[in-house]
Amino acid sequence: MPDKTAIVTGAAGSLGSELSKILVEEGWNVIMVDSNRAGLVRAYDHIGEDGPGTPVLHPMDLAAADPAVFEELLENVQAQFSRLDALVHCAAHFESLTPSEHIPPEDWLLSIQTNLNAPWLLSAMALAPLRASGAGKLIFVLEDLDRVKGSYWGAYGVCKHALNALVSQMAEECGSSDVSVRGIVPGPMRSAIRSKVYHSENPAELPSARPVAERIARFLNGRENWVKTVIDFRAPSGST
């Protein structure tokens, strides 16, 4: 049985699915969390059965998750694999660029829950097993704050600013422990969210999520060191 275990949220998306595939190929147990059941199955099929790691599909709607749901998830991980070494937040909810006065209240609340409340709650509850692993890693996917602070970004933009603050807070709080907390700004890549914003863009001309997933995997496996708390993947690799 592989000796490292990760939870990846948004595992049916472009980045989450690529990261899950790489980690399984490198011998990790990967609990793949997403509300999109069909997307999870496609991601699982993309991984195949030849990797030394173990992919586990875990359908979950982060917008509806409460402490009991996350507690059950972590208990299941502990019962099946006896450890948690990494938690990577790739999940995100975004509908469209919309003036604030036209955003349906239910969409605003859904975005806040998925993009901010759920990552905070799951991370806070996962800190104990991450500390117990001896070298736990907690990673959040962030955004270019200058890009999402402007008009029409709605709750998504607000959440990404708040998530950036959360990363800094948790990194300081975990500074004396063995848990490494990092945020990454991946830069442009093919994704469902980007296609909703830049309608005139040709997705085929954008880089895939694979290079970003490879860098995350290198960090998780100790092959790349990130000194800064927030890592901008658009910057030269030597500046991390």
Side-chain angles (χ1 to χ4, degrees):
M1 179 182 292
D3 63 355
K4 286 190 175 182
T5 301
I7 296 174
V8 177
T9 71
S14 55
L15 179 56
S17 61
E18 286 291 349
L19 178 59
S20 298
K21 176 177 173 61
I22 292 171
L23 291 179
V24 170
E25 290 172 347
E26 295 183 351
W28 286 64
N29 308 304
V30 181
I31 294 81
M32 301 169 63
V33 176
D34 205 292
S35 61
N36 185 347
R37 291 173 180 265
L40 276 179
V41 173
R42 287 193 296 270
Y44 183 89
D45 292 341
H46 183 56
I47 292 173
E49 300 179 355
D50 297 329
T54 304
V56 177
L57 302 188
H58 192 94
M60 175 189 290
D61 184 0
L62 294 178
D66 59 18
V69 170
F70 288 138
E71 183 177 10
E72 181 180 6
L73 167 62
L74 294 169
E75 287 177 349
N76 289 341
V77 171
Q78 190 68 23
Q80 187 169 2
F81 300 115
S82 302
R83 61 185 297 148
L84 178 65
D85 300 274
L87 169 57
V88 185
H89 293 286
C90 298
H93 174 80
F94 175 84
E95 287 296 337
S96 64
L97 295 174
T98 307
S100 295
E101 64 180 318
H102 296 153
I103 299 173
E106 59 272 21
D107 287 352
W108 178 277
L109 295 173
L110 176 64
S111 186
I112 294 291
Q113 178 66 18
T114 305
N115 297 323
L116 181 60
N117 292 344
W120 160 73
L121 181 55
L122 179 55
S123 297
M125 297 179 69
L127 283 179
L130 288 173
R131 280 195 295 265
S133 76
K137 292 181 171 64
L138 176 57
I139 298 178
F140 298 81
V141 177
L142 304 177
E143 272 278 9
D144 178 348
L145 296 186
D146 287 334
R147 183 170 77 103
V148 298
K149 73 179 180 182
S151 304
Y152 312 128
W153 281 97
Y156 180 83
V158 170
C159 286
K160 288 301 181 179
H161 278 77
L163 204 61
N164 195 82
L166 178 64
V167 169
S168 297
Q169 288 179 359
M170 296 192 78
E172 286 190 20
E173 292 169 3
C174 294
S176 59
S177 74
D178 295 322
V179 178
S180 299
V181 181
R182 297 290 186 272
I184 67 161
V185 181
M189 62 180 177
R190 289 196 296 273
S191 70
I193 288 180
R194 189 172 181 89
S195 67
K196 293 179 179 179
V197 178
Y198 301 100
H199 303 289
S200 61
E201 227 174 31
N202 181 359
E205 297 177 354
L206 291 171
S208 73
R210 180 80 184 188
V212 174
E214 288 174 342
R215 284 199 65 184
I216 296 173
R218 288 199 296 270
F219 176 71
L220 295 181
N221 284 304
R223 299 195 302 269
E224 186 169 319
N225 183 33
W226 297 347
V227 177
K228 297 179 180 178
T229 299
V230 175
I231 313 303
D232 191 338
F233 281 13
R234 300 167 300 175
S237 58
S239 64
T240 58

